[in-house]
Amino acid sequence: LSPSHYLGAYTRLAAILYEVLATRARVPADEAAQACLAAQRVFWLDADLAMLAYHGRRHEAVIDLARHDVLTGVASRGFLLEQLAEECLRAERVARPFAVIFVDLDGFKAINDELGHPMGDLVLVSFAERLRSVLRASDTAARLGGDEFSIVCENTEPADAQVLADRLRASVTEPLNLSGTTVSIGLS
């Protein structure tokens, strides 16, 4: 059944219950209304649980797709912006530092133009794997678009962010499915 049919059935059931209590059982109207309200709350709880069970998995899959870049598996730009806003508020509230690292793959357009987009995709996937390998569990890495990535590092002093950026740069000195790929990294 569609959700509207399901919820409509609950509404009709509540009306029938009220009619039976108020007219046939001769329960005072205010008591009948209270009993119907209690029953309706149970109905809504059951409806919420049914909708969650029926639609929950699909909803979670859609949310996961919105939060992650399909190609690389790192966070999406939108999710990163949410995390960044939360981290700004947290840092302000508890006077705690954080860092943001920006990464751009050098010469990526040439890879796509000369070797094709499938090779470019392999380079991006390989880079994302290396990116995840150097991050801490509390860091959020995301693909901003194309060959641009960003990392939000919570509770991170500038010197610690520099260490992370250096580890990332070192992880890319080995070929990314293609010799000569380098990265430009900035941090704040």
Side-chain angles (χ1 to χ4, degrees):
L1 292 174
S2 72
S4 62
H5 285 96
Y6 197 64
L7 297 175
Y10 278 136
T11 302
R12 180 71 182 125
L13 185 57
I16 292 169
L17 179 62
Y18 180 79
E19 180 183 331
V20 168
L21 288 174
T23 58
R24 297 184 190 162
R26 301 186 194 276
V27 173
D30 62 330
E31 290 178 26
Q34 288 176 0
C36 287
L37 180 61
Q40 199 162 28
R41 287 181 178 153
V42 171
F43 297 157
W44 288 120
L45 174 61
D46 182 62
D48 284 346
L49 293 174
M51 293 302 147
L52 180 61
Y54 183 73
H55 296 288
R57 287 195 171 102
R58 190 172 70 189
H59 176 73
E60 289 170 8
V62 169
I63 294 297
D64 189 57
L65 280 173
R67 288 185 170 176
H68 292 89
D69 178 64
V70 176
L71 177 65
T72 63
V74 297
S76 67
R77 177 187 184 108
F79 185 69
L80 179 87
L81 293 175
E82 288 176 23
Q83 293 298 108
L84 184 57
E86 286 179 22
E87 191 57 34
C88 286
L89 292 172
R90 185 180 302 119
E92 188 175 279
R93 187 175 61 247
V94 295
R96 171 173 97 179
F98 72 97
V100 180
I101 299 173
F102 296 94
V103 183
D104 184 76
L105 299 180
D106 299 327
F108 185 73
K109 183 177 181 336
I111 294 170
N112 274 339
D113 291 347
E114 295 170 18
L115 301 172
H117 289 276
M119 180 55 80
D121 288 351
L122 287 174
V123 170
L124 290 172
V125 169
S126 181
F127 174 74
E129 289 171 2
R130 292 181 191 198
L131 179 59
R132 281 190 293 270
S133 75
V134 300
L135 296 181
R136 303 168 303 178
S138 60
D139 298 331
T140 301
R143 182 176 175 203
L144 298 177
D147 64 333
E148 298 171 346
F149 293 80
S150 187
I151 308 155
V152 175
C153 307
E154 68 178 55
N155 199 22
T156 303
E157 296 287 344
D160 296 326
Q162 184 65 55
V163 168
L164 180 61
D166 291 341
R167 275 197 331 237
L168 179 58
R169 184 177 297 113
S171 78
V172 181
T173 58
E174 298 171 21
L176 285 167
N177 290 326
L178 183 67
S179 181
T181 303
T182 59
V183 295
S184 295
I185 300 176
L187 60 97
S188 174

